[in-house]
Amino acid sequence: MNRLPPLPRKPSWAALAVLLAFAVGCTSDADPNRGLDPGGLDPIDGDPTQKFRSIDGTGNHETFHTLGAAHTPLVREMSSSYADGISAMAGVSRPSPREISNALCAQKEPTPNALGASDFLWQWGQFLDHDIDLTEAHEPEESHPIIPEPGDPFFDPDHTGQAEIEFHRSVHHSASGTSEQFPRQQINQITHYIDASNVYGSDQDRAESLRTNDGTGRLAVSDGNLLPFNTEGLPNAGDGGPALFFAGDLRANEQVGLTAMHTLFVREHNRRVAELAAADLSLSGDGLYERARAFVGGLMQQITYEEFLPALLGPDALAPYRGYQYLVSPAIRNCFSTAAYRFGHSAVSDTLLRLDADGNEISFGHLSLRDAFFAPDRILSEGGIEPLLRGLAAQEMSAIDVKVVDGLRNFLFGPPTAGGLDLVSLNIQRGRDHGLPDYASARFELGLGEVTDFDQISSDPDIQSTLAAVYGSVNNIDLWVGAIAEDPVNGGHVGRLLFEVLRMQFEALRDGDRYWYQSALPAEEIVEIENTTLADIIRRNTSIGDEIPDDVFHVN
C-alpha cells in the first residue's frame, strides 16, 4: 500500500487562532476561581523558565501556562453533535449500543493480524493512553445506562426486559454546556503530554507519595522490586484499597499486563537514578529524581514514535520533527481520546500468555483476560512480571477490525450479571456522551470526502451488510464503529480516518511540547535514548534475555 499524502496544513495565522481558542478553553476546572476565560491563564500557574517540566503540566507553554495541564478540557477538532446542540446525548435515534455490539462486534474465533504485530502493540497503546488522557465520571453522577435487548444471553439471560449496563456521563467543565456557543466540554484529568505521568503522577500529592523521600531520588517499591501498595488511600481504580498496587496513574491494576509495564518503568527510573548517582556524587535527591524522570519521559517518547507508531500506522506516517512549535497545541482532542485511540480494544487478545525462559507455559498456566482484571495476586504469587512480558512479545495480537474478544465485550471487570460491562457498548455510548459527530460527518470535516454507501467503508461484504442492517443509513454510524470498520491504509493496521486522527494528534503532542526530549535534553542523553528500545528496557530491568526479539512489537 502506498503512503498517504498528508492533509493540507493550516497557515500560521489560522494555527494561531486555533491555539488561542484552545488556550482559552484550557483553563482548569479544579480551581473554582478559574473559568473558561483568559483570566484562567495566569502566569503564576507553572514556571515557564524551569529546567524540568512540572508534575501537573503547567508552564510548558511560555504564554498560555495551563495549556496541556491536568484538569483542563479536551479540545474539539470537529463540531460537537449534541442532540440539543448544548449537552444532551447525541445519537438519540440510533440503535442501542449493546444491539450494535451484539450484531457487529462479537468475535467467535481468534483473528490474528496479518502483519505479525505482537500483543505489545496494544499493551504499549494502553500504557501510553494512561499517560495522556483520563476522563472519569462526573460528580454528582449523571447516569445514562445502556439498555440491552430482552433476552440478551449475557446481560438479560432471564428475559426480564429490566437489565441495564451501568454508564455514567463524563466529568465536564462547569462553565460549559450552557449554550450552543459553549457546548459541554469534557475534562482531561491528567497531563496531556507524553511525560511519563503514568509513572510519576499528574499532581504533587501523588508524585510525593510515589517517592521514597529519603534523599535518594528513587521511586518506592515493594518486596520483589514490585510496585508499592496503596496504603495512603489515594485514588485508585478498583476498590482503591491497600491490596492494590499504586502507580502514577490510578488505572495501573486494570489488568496484569498493564501492571507489568508500570513495574518495568519504575525499575527503569531507579536504575537510572543509580547510574546518575554513581556518575555525579554532587547531585541531590531531587536532582537525581528530576533527571531520571526526564530521561524516562524521553524513553516513553522515543519508543512511541520510533517503535509503536511505525508498527501501528506503517512507514513515514508522521511529518519529520522540526523542533518545538509555539503555535501548535498539544492538547488531547476529544475525537482522539473518545473514539480514535480506542482502536486498541479490537486488538486485545482473550488470553494473556505466560511463558518461561524456554518459551513454555509456566506452571500457573496462561491467563484468561477476564481473570486478569484488578488481580495483583497474579503477579505477586504467580511468577512476577517476566512471564507476562515474554507472553506479550510472543503472541500475535488480534486484527484491528470490528471484532472484540469476549473478555472485553461481555466480561469487562467482572461477570455480566455482577457488575461486568461491555467495552464496545461503553465506547459507543461514550462517543454519544461527548457529543462526537457521526462517522460520515467526521470524515467530511477532516476533508476525507463524503461517504454515501456502506461499500465505501469496508470491502468486506459481511461488514457492509451488517452495518446496513443495524444502522440503516451511513449517516447514523457512530464514529468509533465506522472508524474501526475501515480497510487498513499505508501498510499499517488502521483505516484512513483513524490514520488521520492519530497522525494529527501525535504530531501535535510532539511538536507542541517544549520539553520534548530532542529539544530539551543534553545531546549525550538524546543519543542514549535514541539507541534504546523497549526490548533493552525489559532486558536491563528483568531476568529476561534473548528469548524476546529486539523488536518486541512484532512476533519473532
Side-chain angles (χ1 to χ4, degrees):
M1 284 173 267
N2 295 326
R3 179 173 181 251
L4 295 171
L7 292 176
R9 295 186 178 276
K10 297 170 183 173
S12 59
W13 60 266
L16 178 59
V18 170
L19 179 59
L20 287 170
F22 286 168
V24 171
C26 278
T27 53
S28 173
D29 204 34
D31 183 344
N33 295 316
R34 293 158 70 187
L36 280 173
D37 58 87
L41 301 168
D42 194 320
I44 65 172
D45 294 316
D47 178 3
T49 66
Q50 62 192 10
K51 181 178 180 181
F52 299 105
R53 65 169 82 235
S54 64
I55 281 289
D56 65 1
T58 55
N60 192 302
H61 197 279
E62 294 176 290
T63 304
F64 304 115
H65 298 164
T66 59
L67 189 63
H71 298 287
T72 58
L74 300 167
V75 298
R76 293 194 184 271
E77 192 75 22
M78 307 169 184
S79 303
S80 62
S81 187
Y82 293 111
D84 60 356
I86 301 172
S87 64
M89 295 276 293
V92 291
S93 62
R94 298 176 202 159
S96 161
R98 179 62 180 175
E99 180 184 345
I100 299 166
S101 174
N102 282 339
L104 186 67
C105 300
Q107 183 167 307
K108 297 180 174 61
E109 58 187 22
T111 56
N113 73 95
L115 301 177
S118 74
D119 278 344
F120 259 114
L121 191 65
W122 65 259
Q123 185 55 85
W124 183 265
Q126 183 187 31
F127 185 55
L128 174 66
D129 177 62
H130 293 185
D131 183 23
I132 56 180
D133 59 70
L134 168 65
T135 302
E136 294 189 289
H138 191 271
E139 294 182 5
E141 291 178 347
E142 293 184 71
S143 180
H144 206 291
I146 297 162
I147 309 301
E149 294 178 288
D152 183 295
F154 289 93
F155 288 92
D156 191 19
D158 297 328
H159 292 259
T160 66
Q162 304 299 313
E164 295 181 345
I165 299 173
E166 183 178 358
F167 181 90
H168 300 286
R169 299 196 67 180
S170 292
V171 60
H172 56 271
H173 197 291
S174 59
S176 70
T178 57
S179 68
E180 291 188 11
Q181 287 71 42
F182 292 100
R184 178 175 291 202
Q185 304 287 18
Q186 290 75 26
I187 298 291
N188 186 0
Q189 295 167 279
I190 61 177
T191 65
H192 299 236
Y193 300 99
I194 300 175
D195 57 1
S197 64
N198 49 356
V199 178
Y200 301 99
S202 290
D203 65 84
Q204 202 60 45
D205 287 345
R206 196 173 195 91
E208 291 178 3
S209 296
L210 289 164
R211 297 178 61 176
T212 57
N213 296 309
D214 58 0
T216 64
R218 291 171 57 86
L219 293 174
V221 295
S222 61
D223 290 346
N225 205 14
L226 299 175
L227 294 175
F229 292 96
N230 188 29
T231 56
E232 297 184 27
L234 290 173
N236 231 22
D239 66 8
L244 292 178
F245 287 124
F246 183 57
D249 184 80
L250 56 83
R251 296 162 286 184
N253 295 274
E254 275 193 353
Q255 55 88 11
V256 292
L258 175 66
T259 308
M261 296 299 294
H262 277 275
T263 307
L264 180 68
F265 274 78
V266 167
R267 292 181 183 179
E268 175 63 16
H269 171 91
N270 288 342
R271 184 204 68 81
R272 185 64 176 178
V273 163
E275 195 172 71
L276 291 169
D280 188 348
L281 299 178
S282 69
L283 287 172
S284 66
D286 286 344
L288 291 166
Y289 168 83
E290 291 293 359
R291 285 191 59 182
R293 175 173 164 249
F295 183 80
V296 169
L299 291 175
M300 288 279 300
Q301 294 167 353
Q302 158 74 6
I303 291 166
T304 297
Y305 285 74
E306 298 302 322
E307 294 191 84
F308 169 70
L309 289 176
L312 174 65
L313 300 179
D316 304 318
L318 274 60
Y321 184 54
R322 296 177 293 119
Y324 172 61
Q325 304 295 309
Y326 179 89
L327 296 179
V328 172
S329 170
I332 297 296
R333 278 63 170 167
N334 213 320
C335 62
F336 171 86
S337 67
T338 313
Y341 201 61
R342 300 185 181 214
F343 72 84
H345 299 162
S346 171
V348 174
S349 302
D350 218 8
T351 299
L352 298 180
L353 298 189
R354 297 194 290 183
L355 303 176
D356 63 21
D358 295 321
N360 300 316
E361 182 178 352
I362 65 171
S363 60
F364 297 104
H366 301 316
L367 188 61
S368 171
L369 181 62
R370 70 186 67 174
D371 295 326
F373 300 127
F374 299 103
D377 283 350
R378 298 289 190 175
I379 288 177
L380 286 164
S381 60
E382 296 183 2
I385 68 173
E386 281 88 348
L388 291 160
L389 296 174
R390 294 188 192 103
L392 290 168
Q395 181 168 230
E396 290 184 340
M397 74 172 192
S398 294
I400 296 173
D401 54 21
V402 295
K403 305 301 182 184
V404 177
V405 298
D406 266 7
L408 296 180
R409 210 184 66 81
N410 294 313
F411 294 93
L412 180 67
F413 304 151
T417 56
L421 302 167
D422 169 13
L423 189 55
V424 168
S425 296
L426 297 182
N427 287 344
I428 296 169
Q429 190 84 326
R430 190 64 66 196
R432 298 176 185 183
D433 169 26
H434 286 213
L436 295 186
D438 64 83
Y439 163 75
S441 297
R443 279 190 62 98
F444 184 78
E445 288 199 48
L446 286 173
L448 301 178
E450 289 188 87
V451 175
T452 58
D453 205 333
F454 294 99
D455 63 8
Q456 294 175 265
I457 302 170
S458 170
S459 61
D460 186 326
D462 290 338
I463 294 176
Q464 296 170 20
S465 60
T466 305
L467 285 171
V470 171
Y471 282 106
S473 167
V474 292
N475 296 319
N476 289 332
I477 299 174
D478 290 280
L479 176 54
W480 179 78
V481 173
I484 62 169
E486 291 186 336
D487 294 336
V489 297
N490 200 54
H493 293 271
V494 301
R496 184 68 194 273
L497 189 150
L498 287 178
F499 183 92
E500 295 300 347
V501 174
L502 295 175
R503 174 166 65 180
M504 170 184 67
Q505 182 67 76
F506 280 106
E507 286 185 357
L509 282 168
R510 179 196 64 189
D511 299 347
D513 184 358
R514 193 162 58 89
Y515 290 97
W516 186 259
Y517 83 97
Q518 289 166 293
S519 290
L521 294 185
E524 62 273 16
E525 289 194 9
I526 294 172
V527 171
E528 188 174 355
I529 287 170
E530 291 181 342
N531 284 285
T532 300
T533 65
L534 181 54
D536 293 328
I537 296 172
I538 293 169
R539 288 170 179 153
R540 65 197 188 198
N541 289 287
T542 69
S543 61
I544 294 172
D546 290 339
E547 67 266 31
I548 61 170
D550 293 339
D551 172 12
V552 296
F553 289 94
H554 292 92
V555 173
N556 195 0

